[in-house]
Amino acid sequence: MIETADQIFVLLKHWLVGFLPAGWQPVAGVALSVVAIIAFFPALFALTVWIERKGLGRMQNRIGPNRVGPLGILQPVADAIKSLTKEDIVPLSADAAVHFLAPLLLVAAVFMGFAVLPMGRNMTLVNMDAGLLFYFAMGASTELAVFMAGWSSRNKYSLLGAMRAVAQMISYEVPLLMSSVAVVMMTGSLSLTKIVAAQNHYTWGLPHWYIFTPWGFAGFVMYAIATTAETNRSPFDLPEGESELVAGYHTEYSGFKFALFFLGEYLAMFSISGLGATLFLGGWSAPFSFLGWVPSWIWFFSKLMLSIFVFIWMRGTLPRLRQDQLMNFAWKFVLPLTLLNLLVAALWRFLGEGWERWVVCLAILLLAYAFMGREGMRRGHLGPRRYRYAE
Amino acid sequence: MSFVFYAIAGLTLAGALAAVLLKNTVHCALALTVAFAGLALLFLELDAQFAGFAQILVYIGAVAVLVVFAILLTRGSETPKDGVYSRNWLAGLVIAAGVFAVLGWAVLGSARSLPHETAAPTVTVLQIGNALMSRYVLPLEIVALLLTAALIGAVIVAMHEKEGQK
Amino acid sequence: MQETISFTPQLTASPITGILWLIPAVPMVASGVIALLKQPKRRTASTLAIGSLSFSLLLSLIAFGHVVRDWTLGIATRETVNFTWIQVGAANVDLGWVLDPLSAVMMVMVALVGLLIFIYSIEYMKHDENFTRFFCFMSLFAGAMLGVAIANSMLLLFMCWELVGLTSYLLIGFWYQKPAAAAAAKKAFLTTRIGDVFFLLGIVWLFAQTGTLLFYNGGAGSLEAGALGGLLAQPAAWGLTAAGAIGLLIFAGAAGKSGQLPLHVWLPDAMEGPTPVSALIHAATMVAAGVYLIARVYPLMQAGALAGGTTTALTVVTWVGASTAVFAALIAVAQNDIKRILAYSTISQLGYMMAGLGMGGVAVGMFHLITHAFFKALLFLGAGSVIHGCHEEQDIRRMGGLKADMPLTFATYGIGMLALCGFPLLFSGFWSKDGILEAAMHWSVAKTPLYMLVFGALLTAFYMTRQVGYVFFGFNRGSKDAHESPEVMTVPLVVLAFFAMALGLIGTPAWPWFRGFLDGRAVGFDWHGFIEPGLLALMATSTVVVFVGIGLAWRLYGDQSPKPTEPDVLEAAAPLPWGWLRDRLYVDELYGVTVIVFYGWWARVAEWLDRRVWGGAVSGVAWAFGLWAQLNRFLDNNWVDGGFDKSCDELASGGGLLARVQTGRVQTYLRLLALAVVALALMLIWSSRA
Amino acid sequence: MTPLAGYLLVAALLFSIGLAGALTRRNAILVLIGIELMLNAANLNLIAFWRYGPHPEALTGMMFAIFSIAVAAAEAAVGLGLVIQIHRHAHTTDLDQMNRMKG
């Protein structure tokens, strides 16, 4: 019973595919999974939008949307209908082809990311040997889409927004990769299923998630920071920067293309937090051994929703960083720490079992954090603002 | 020769041609990205998974963006006043054609002696890791050094001079 | 005849011989120092010269004393110091000096006479601005002459011999401004040089034969028995043995230097030099050097002579000597210059000495040499003071009546004249000349030389009295009245006069000390010397001859003192022969006609040879090179230039072509690169096609 | 025609297209793009030969390609840096005008 619940979707797929002739079955299987992903995640997007708006409202001591449907549950539906029906205005001087292609490329690239995420026990769309690498390759192409959007709309603000977004994404892509490399180093494989399998065993009921190791925890923190920056969320949402840049690179977009951008952004959030869950929180493995009976995919999605909640939470509380602070923070704090984390992971691996490795790793990390944080950041005191105009 | 190969090859060559022929420099850059993507697919077609993803990550992720940035920084995006091609472009074309003729002839000439269909080698990332760490450790270190040098070099070269020092 | 006790050569050199080399060295060094002095430094020059010569005199007296002491002890000293001067491969050139009676006597004579003449010339040359140069040459001459005296090596002797020749040239030509003096110096130098060539031939031949240059080298010397034996064995041309031939060659050198017949022409002209020079060089020492040379190599000349006999070499010497004596005496009679008369008289007396050596041996010749040195020096110095007194007047026809004005000069000059003529008993000339006549008498070969010498003696007495008559008697025909010379000049005259008389005593037949000393024999004093057969008769004849000469001359020239313009008494009597004699028997003209003409002709031949043959060859070579140069130019112009330069230009333009490729545009380079790739690929494919 | 020949032909064509671009375009960056294309053509060749070569397990071809990708990235970075610097000084990216290094 537990087994079927766990493998419900897999069985369902096999059952459906069974109707087709043998030759077609593998392709049909894959197609079916793709359709499932494409259907489920936009729905989750709608739900998250509602959660976010209600959550933010509650955080800011206001109710949030409650007009459409009970508790405003149908608010996302209303938004969807609104974006579909709105007129799609394309600026005259805009570069039509690139303008049209940008959102498509963005969404496509993000969807590609979901192919390798292990959502449940043997519920990975493509069990690739270099899964993680594939995921980051797809992640890398989103920057290009952002740039195309910003540049094609021929609008100074959008170009500026695009430039800021690309710069930020590139700056934080390196720490993102570096922190995940630590995990790869420990499991010895790039395939995500192997990584989850490596975390999926328990001692005294406690799971072997990487987050419970010093380097894992530091890695997870760095990873979380990098992800918020990658998805231009909350403290790092400078590109949108409503106050100065109107809507950033998707100012000139309206109607469905704007919705696509919005969808793309949330999908990126889902996939990046899904990856985070697989890498550090043990993917679909249960938090406690005795909870093993609960279907694996439930754990995956609950961890996913947990990080989404954290995103929303951060958005509601943290102030926006300035551009140079943001860059400084990336190159002078996050990156060095992740590199150090790699060193610590190596130490962890070769010090062997026993309490010494805990002490050593913790000591190094805390010391580095304190020293780096205190010294590194001080230099960036708020000197007089120096304006430099483009030549 | 499967249909997929032709499709991908067509895509890559189209991208390359566009990158070379288009007027607007940014369009060229984007066409270039298409060509890079096509190549990555060709790599995947040749069962070189790691190379394919590395290609995407490095080229599309970094080089394409770099090219675009360079174009914007050098005001290349406005269409140039006095024509896109250099004065004696015909000579260039002829030479390129000549090179292709020679290469083509060489390939076709030796087509018969080239090895036929062979079993697709299954290459896992683990093997690549081991190879990198055992046989190619020296090239790896050297490339690491080279990349750092290039990183610093590029920064210094393109660094904005301090005021007053024109 | 005298018996000779065996020579016991003194092997170990006594201390005096060790420093014997100082005797010539000190005057030479003095002359060097004087040469460095500035012209006005007259006093230093003269003191230096006189000091050095007196030091040499002192040393030679000591040496002389040493030899005499040994001689009295019955040891015939011959101490030699030899050393190798140059090592030339196997043969080494040795030099050395010897102390034996011959060199001792010669040293003392040269030093003493030289010193007196130096003292005399201080006054005589006082007004001459080249005073220092004069004394420099004189002390150089003294040093060289002493060098000749003590030389034990033929080479050292020859070197000093040449030095003496050089100084005679310098001193004769002392007043080089006068063309006559310069010509006379050159003439003297050349004539003696002819003699020296033969002398050098002799030396070389001797060295070749005996292998050593040294005279006495402890048995191995060239003049010692071993070498002489070897020389005798060698037959030379005309029946002469090698020894005789070498001797004659050496005699030729001596004849040149001592003014014997063929080579005497330079001596009368040498009177152009200042009188002290004539006195020292052309009376006492240098001319005597030739005689001393023959005396030194006498064993060589005498080698092979049978007991009492003589060799052809010695007969030649005798004949030359005797003929020169008569010849010169004849010319002397017709001379009007006071110094020329004395010059010819010297030549004739030298003839006497050579004849003495030829017939009588070393002692006879040397004794006459020593005595002649003193009274001839006296006569010359006297003539000098006369000239000085008559304010440089030399022609005797413009003098006269000086007896009263210069009494001391007259007295000493008279003594000198009487000694020269051989006035019996009192004067040394008589004994030395008598010795020669005695030797001539005993000469086995022929009696004519005796008669010639006696006739010479007559002539000598005649021309000397004529001269004295012209100069001292009658009345003064000169423009100014004469005045007596100061003491500095007259004192040497007196000393010389004393020697002119005293020296005779050491050679009288009763006490032949000099002969014994030279031959290394013990000598006692006994009157029996005189009772040699024919000796007294000989002395009587020579006395008669002397008185006849003097009386005849006195009658002709006595106090008449004819006016300068009017012809000489004899001239009036026999104008033709007198003319020949006055013109010196045309010997100079003879040479002029023969030797000079020959040289002139030979010079022209050489000049022709040089210009035509040699010049032609050189110009031919030049022409060939000219041709070669043109060929080079031709080749260079159009073959090298054309080819090389043109190719350089091509290269340069080629360079230009390549430079155009560097357009600076990156794409051009890329295109070239691509082309290169294509070419490379093609080449690879093409080459691998086989 | 064997697949390898096909890939080689595609690589050759890609290479010559890149070369044509490099030789004819006036803008410096496009020349760099042409060069990038040529480099990628070379990588394609490498991987093709590795895939159809005798010893794929030796990984030489692929390794070579990976290293070449890294190096190409470095080269692109420095090249573009230079171009930007030239632009900053000479205010042009037009290659025909950049001939100050004329011979």
Side-chain angles (χ1 to χ4, degrees):
Chain A
M1 178 39 194
I2 305 158
E3 206 50 48
T4 52
D6 184 25
Q7 295 301 322
I8 186 71
F9 294 106
V10 174
L11 297 174
L12 192 66
K13 188 178 78 176
H14 287 307
W15 177 67
L16 282 175
V17 161
F19 291 106
L20 290 175
W24 285 85
Q25 283 190 347
V27 175
V30 167
L32 203 61
S33 324
V34 165
V35 164
I37 290 174
I38 289 175
F40 173 72
F41 278 100
L44 193 63
F45 153 69
L47 185 68
T48 333
V49 165
W50 175 77
I51 295 169
E52 175 163 13
R53 297 185 63 169
K54 288 299 273 186
L56 270 182
R58 299 307 306 144
M59 285 176 200
Q60 294 159 358
N61 204 7
R62 57 178 174 80
I63 297 166
N66 58 3
R67 289 275 181 275
V68 182
L71 288 171
I73 193 74
L74 297 178
Q75 179 59 30
V77 175
D79 289 350
I81 294 163
K82 175 189 74 176
S83 63
L84 287 174
T85 54
K86 256 196 176 165
E87 189 210 354
D88 189 354
I89 309 159
V90 174
L92 193 60
S93 65
D95 192 322
V98 178
H99 187 74
F100 171 75
L101 268 177
L104 283 183
L105 182 62
L106 185 73
V107 168
V110 174
F111 263 123
M112 295 287 275
F114 284 102
V116 275
L117 286 180
M119 291 148 193
R121 203 186 302 286
N122 56 47
M123 282 170 63
T124 357
L125 180 61
V126 177
N127 186 3
M128 236 182 249
D129 179 33
L132 192 63
L133 188 64
F134 174 78
Y135 180 86
F136 284 128
M138 291 310 128
S141 40
T142 49
E143 290 135 8
L144 204 64
V146 163
F147 168 77
M148 282 159 72
W151 175 76
S152 63
S153 39
R154 287 258 182 287
N155 173 341
K156 250 190 280 314
Y157 295 109
S158 63
L159 184 61
L160 205 56
M163 281 301 164
R164 281 194 180 178
V166 167
Q168 175 181 320
M169 287 165 83
I170 287 183
S171 308
Y172 280 93
E173 192 177 346
V174 178
L176 187 72
L177 261 75
M178 281 304 153
S179 49
S180 51
V181 161
V183 168
V184 166
M185 204 160 76
M186 292 316 279
T187 47
S189 153
L190 272 169
S191 124
L192 292 177
T193 40
K194 281 203 179 63
I195 291 173
V196 169
Q199 296 179 49
N200 190 11
H201 33 75
Y202 303 86
T203 46
W204 318 315
L206 289 177
H208 277 255
W209 291 355
Y210 285 137
I211 191 159
F212 298 131
T213 58
W215 58 270
F217 179 73
F220 182 71
V221 166
M222 295 306 135
Y223 182 82
I225 296 171
T227 41
T228 42
E230 274 290 311
T231 53
N232 303 340
R233 282 289 298 182
S234 70
F236 303 95
D237 57 359
L238 219 62
E240 284 87 23
E242 284 80 14
S243 50
E244 314 107 32
L245 294 172
V246 183
Y249 52 83
H250 38 72
T251 341
E252 294 302 334
Y253 285 89
S254 59
F256 183 67
K257 285 204 208 79
F258 182 77
L260 273 182
F261 270 112
F262 222 67
L263 170 64
E265 189 188 326
Y266 275 81
L267 282 179
M269 223 157 56
F270 292 149
S271 73
I272 205 92
S273 43
L275 185 66
T278 17
L279 288 180
F280 295 96
L281 300 173
W284 40 263
S285 63
F288 296 102
S289 55
F290 54 86
L291 288 175
W293 52 271
V294 175
S296 56
W297 45 271
I298 289 182
W299 294 119
F300 178 76
F301 284 105
S302 55
K303 289 168 190 170
L304 189 131
M305 289 320 286
L306 184 70
S307 40
I308 294 298
F309 172 74
V310 167
F311 274 122
I312 296 165
W313 183 19
M314 271 200 283
R315 180 170 177 198
T317 51
L318 293 181
R320 185 178 298 120
L321 278 172
R322 211 177 52 238
Q323 179 69 10
D324 60 332
Q325 282 171 339
L326 179 127
M327 299 299 269
N328 253 337
F329 183 63
W331 290 102
K332 291 183 181 155
F333 179 74
V334 178
L335 184 58
L337 258 182
T338 43
L339 289 176
L340 189 72
N341 192 18
L342 274 179
L343 180 69
V344 165
L347 269 180
W348 176 269
R349 185 179 179 83
F350 291 109
L351 278 180
E353 297 305 329
W355 54 272
E356 314 87 9
R357 61 178 181 176
W358 280 87
V359 168
V360 165
C361 296
L362 274 176
I364 293 176
L365 285 172
L366 289 178
L367 208 70
Y369 171 76
F371 176 74
M372 202 87 78
R374 187 106 8 338
E375 286 312 319
M377 287 310 117
R378 169 164 301 108
R379 264 200 319 291
H381 64 276
L382 304 175
R385 292 183 70 85
R386 281 186 300 106
Y387 293 96
R388 198 169 73 262
Y389 297 99
E391 276 80 40
Chain B
M1 293 304 289
S2 67
F3 163 75
V4 173
F5 163 73
Y6 282 119
I8 302 171
L11 176 75
T12 339
L13 294 177
L17 269 174
V20 162
L21 300 175
L22 287 181
K23 286 242 173 321
N24 185 324
T25 353
V26 173
H27 287 177
C28 289
L30 297 182
L32 182 68
T33 336
V34 166
F36 286 155
L39 265 164
L41 292 175
L42 276 174
F43 285 166
L44 294 178
E45 183 66 22
L46 284 165
D47 299 310
Q49 226 180 25
F50 188 82
F53 297 150
Q55 163 88 359
I56 297 171
L57 191 64
V58 169
Y59 274 103
I60 299 171
V63 172
V65 171
L66 196 65
V67 167
V68 162
F69 262 67
I71 293 171
L72 289 184
L73 278 175
T74 55
R75 256 195 221 82
S77 42
E78 303 102 11
T79 53
K81 310 176 275 318
D82 41 18
V84 165
Y85 296 104
S86 71
R87 271 201 318 283
N88 36 28
W89 56 274
L90 186 62
L93 215 60
V94 162
I95 292 174
V99 165
F100 176 66
V102 165
L103 293 179
W105 183 52
V107 165
L108 292 180
S110 61
R112 275 177 305 289
S113 60
L114 289 177
H116 289 284
E117 192 60 44
T118 51
T122 56
V123 177
T124 65
V125 175
L126 194 66
Q127 278 176 312
I128 295 176
N130 286 337
L132 269 181
M133 275 303 137
S134 62
R135 191 145 164 241
Y136 298 100
V137 68
L138 188 61
L140 185 70
E141 298 308 330
I142 292 173
V143 163
L145 206 65
L146 178 85
L147 287 177
T148 356
L151 176 75
I152 300 168
V155 165
I156 288 176
V157 163
M159 194 169 62
H160 186 64
E161 274 106 10
K162 290 190 192 43
E163 281 73 26
Q165 182 200 29
K166 201 54 209 131
Chain C
M1 263 287 282
Q2 313 93 340
E3 80 296 337
T4 58
I5 54 170
S6 66
F7 261 111
T8 57
Q10 192 79 7
L11 283 184
T12 60
S14 60
I16 184 66
T17 326
I19 54 168
L20 206 63
W21 63 278
L22 278 179
I23 296 174
V26 167
M28 281 196 190
V29 165
S31 82
V33 170
I34 297 170
L36 298 177
L37 293 179
K38 283 200 283 295
Q39 208 174 25
K41 279 268 195 293
R42 309 162 69 94
R43 173 156 295 287
T44 347
S46 54
T47 38
L48 255 178
I50 290 169
S52 64
L53 200 54
S54 43
F55 170 78
S56 298
L57 177 60
L58 183 68
L59 263 184
S60 43
L61 281 176
I62 295 169
F64 184 73
H66 171 73
V67 172
V68 165
R69 185 176 51 74
D70 282 359
W71 176 67
T72 50
L73 298 174
I75 306 160
T77 54
R78 169 167 287 113
E79 293 158 7
T80 64
V81 170
N82 305 326
F83 58 92
T84 318
W85 180 35
I86 305 174
Q87 180 81 26
V88 175
N92 44 22
V93 174
D94 306 333
L95 299 182
W97 53 84
V98 67
L99 177 63
D100 63 1
L102 184 65
S103 63
V105 161
M106 192 63 184
M107 273 192 299
V108 169
M109 182 274 282
V110 167
L112 183 60
V113 168
L115 189 64
L116 293 177
I117 290 174
F118 275 19
I119 295 166
Y120 172 88
S121 51
I122 293 175
E123 179 54 32
Y124 186 81
M125 299 298 283
K126 196 141 55 76
H127 306 300
D128 191 311
E129 79 270 11
N130 288 329
F131 186 83
T132 36
R133 186 159 66 87
F134 177 76
F135 269 98
C136 164
F137 291 155
M138 288 294 265
S139 55
L140 182 62
F141 169 80
M145 198 52 218
L146 288 169
V148 167
I150 65 166
N152 174 34
S153 145
M154 191 59 105
L155 183 65
L156 182 60
L157 189 135
F158 186 72
M159 277 154 51
C160 298
W161 182 270
E162 291 304 331
L163 211 58
V164 164
L166 168 71
T167 42
S168 85
Y169 165 78
L170 291 174
L171 285 167
I172 295 170
F174 185 70
W175 290 315
Y176 49 80
Q177 303 90 343
K178 282 199 310 187
K186 210 161 29 177
K187 186 173 178 178
F189 195 74
L190 283 179
T191 357
T192 45
R193 203 53 49 246
I194 294 171
D196 290 353
V197 162
F198 290 110
F199 184 13
L200 187 61
L201 281 178
I203 292 175
V204 167
W205 192 351
L206 182 69
F207 179 58
Q209 288 301 337
T210 58
T212 171
L213 284 168
L214 297 173
F215 294 143
Y216 300 103
N217 188 11
S222 56
L223 299 183
E224 275 151 335
L228 292 181
L231 286 173
L232 283 176
Q234 294 281 359
W238 308 309
L240 274 170
T241 62
I246 294 173
L248 276 183
L249 283 176
I250 295 177
F251 172 66
K257 190 72 79 180
S258 305
Q260 290 312 296
L261 192 57
L263 300 171
H264 70 288
V265 286
W266 62 275
L267 198 58
D269 297 346
M271 292 308 121
E272 293 297 328
T275 312
V277 167
S278 312
L280 179 63
I281 295 182
H282 304 123
T285 51
M286 192 181 90
V287 289
V291 175
Y292 173 74
L293 174 64
I294 302 300
R296 173 60 72 193
V297 291
Y298 203 74
L300 190 68
M301 309 276 279
Q302 198 187 21
L306 311 170
T310 179
T311 59
T312 42
L314 285 177
T315 42
V316 164
V317 168
T318 317
W319 282 109
V320 167
S323 49
T324 318
V326 170
F327 178 84
L330 280 174
I331 299 174
V333 167
Q335 294 306 321
N336 292 327
D337 182 325
I338 186 168
K339 288 174 73 177
R340 274 206 170 47
I341 297 170
L342 291 177
Y344 276 107
S345 137
T346 306
I347 295 173
S348 88
Q349 293 306 318
L350 285 168
Y352 272 90
M353 290 178 214
M354 283 301 179
L357 275 179
M359 293 183 281
V362 171
V364 170
M366 284 306 292
F367 184 47
H368 189 59
L369 181 141
I370 300 295
T371 53
H372 171 269
F374 283 98
F375 56 70
K376 187 48 71 64
L378 171 60
L379 286 174
F380 262 102
L381 293 187
S385 86
V386 160
I387 295 166
H388 190 66
C390 307
H391 309 298
E392 310 312 325
E393 175 51 63
Q394 295 208 348
D395 192 335
I396 55 177
R397 284 168 302 183
R398 286 191 180 68
M399 300 178 189
L402 296 182
K403 178 159 55 71
D405 304 338
M406 308 166 75
L408 192 58
T409 311
F410 168 66
T412 53
Y413 198 87
I415 291 170
M417 184 275 274
L418 291 177
L420 175 60
C421 303
F423 196 83
L425 294 180
L426 267 178
F427 298 90
S428 60
F430 171 75
W431 298 109
S432 59
K433 194 180 294 184
D434 187 58
I436 294 172
L437 294 180
E438 183 199 353
M441 197 166 61
H442 295 304
W443 201 42
S444 56
V445 176
K447 284 293 178 262
T448 37
L450 176 62
Y451 308 141
M452 291 167 73
L453 292 181
V454 166
F455 175 60
L458 175 71
L459 288 174
T460 313
F462 178 81
Y463 63 66
M464 282 314 290
T465 326
R466 168 175 173 270
Q467 185 191 30
V468 166
Y470 264 96
V471 171
F472 288 99
F473 296 93
F475 53 87
N476 187 345
R477 292 183 291 268
S479 54
K480 294 179 285 305
D481 57 353
H483 59 80
E484 180 52 286
S485 311
E487 291 73 20
V488 172
M489 292 174 74
T490 47
V491 163
L493 291 180
V494 167
V495 169
L496 283 173
F498 161 73
F499 276 108
M501 294 173 70
L503 270 183
L505 303 181
I506 63 168
T508 58
W511 183 58
W513 178 82
F514 187 79
R515 179 174 308 204
F517 175 68
L518 279 189
D519 296 348
R521 279 183 297 101
V523 160
F525 176 85
D526 66 353
W527 288 100
H528 304 295
F530 281 100
I531 54 159
E532 289 292 332
L535 182 60
L536 288 178
L538 185 66
M539 288 168 70
T541 50
S542 68
T543 320
V544 163
V545 158
V546 165
F547 280 115
V548 164
I550 292 173
L552 190 64
W554 182 259
R555 212 175 58 74
L556 291 177
Y557 299 103
D559 274 344
Q560 275 81 2
S561 63
K563 272 190 272 327
T565 52
E566 98 194 86
D568 193 297
V569 169
L570 273 182
E571 191 176 0
L576 195 61
W578 177 269
W580 290 341
L581 290 182
R582 195 182 60 250
D583 298 342
R584 310 191 205 109
L585 295 174
Y586 306 108
V587 173
D588 283 336
E589 290 70 16
L590 169 69
Y591 285 161
V593 165
T594 54
V595 172
I596 306 301
V597 159
F598 168 72
Y599 271 114
W601 171 74
W602 174 245
R604 263 195 301 288
V605 162
E607 193 270 343
W608 173 80
L609 192 69
D610 181 51
R611 172 170 302 109
R612 283 289 167 279
V613 171
W614 192 241
V618 165
S619 53
V621 165
W623 176 74
F625 269 101
L627 208 66
W628 173 253
Q630 247 136 33
L631 181 66
N632 270 347
R633 191 159 57 76
F634 169 76
L635 273 182
D636 184 52
N637 274 351
N638 28 40
W639 183 52
V640 170
D641 282 1
F644 185 69
D645 291 359
K646 192 173 281 52
S647 54
C648 287
D649 301 344
E650 287 309 316
L651 264 179
S653 57
L657 202 66
L658 272 185
R660 265 197 293 288
V661 168
Q662 300 293 335
T663 56
R665 284 207 304 283
V666 174
Q667 277 157 336
T668 358
Y669 304 150
L670 268 178
R671 287 193 187 98
L672 288 178
L673 207 62
L675 271 181
V677 162
V678 166
L680 185 63
L682 277 178
M683 202 168 63
L684 283 175
I685 293 163
W686 181 75
S687 67
S688 64
R689 144 187 115 307
Chain D
M1 194 173 65
T2 59
L4 180 58
Y7 280 103
L8 294 186
L9 214 60
V10 166
L13 191 57
L14 198 64
F15 182 86
S16 29
I17 291 169
L19 184 64
L23 291 185
T24 49
R25 289 303 289 234
R26 187 186 288 275
N27 188 333
I29 295 177
L30 281 161
V31 169
L32 278 176
I33 287 175
I35 292 170
E36 284 304 323
L37 279 176
M38 287 154 77
L39 278 170
N40 279 327
N43 286 347
L44 179 61
N45 248 349
L46 284 171
I47 302 277
F49 272 116
W50 165 73
R51 167 68 175 73
Y52 291 102
H55 305 292
E57 72 285 354
L59 291 179
T60 35
M62 189 141 103
M63 278 300 148
F64 208 108
I66 291 165
F67 282 127
S68 123
I69 288 170
V71 167
E75 172 265 334
V78 171
L80 290 169
L82 284 174
V83 167
I84 291 167
Q85 196 67 329
I86 292 173
H87 173 76
R88 184 167 292 141
H89 284 287
H91 301 296
T92 170
T93 53
D94 177 351
L95 276 178
D96 288 348
Q97 288 172 12
M98 292 185 217
N99 52 12
R100 276 232 298 255
M101 293 282 286
K102 181 188 270 290

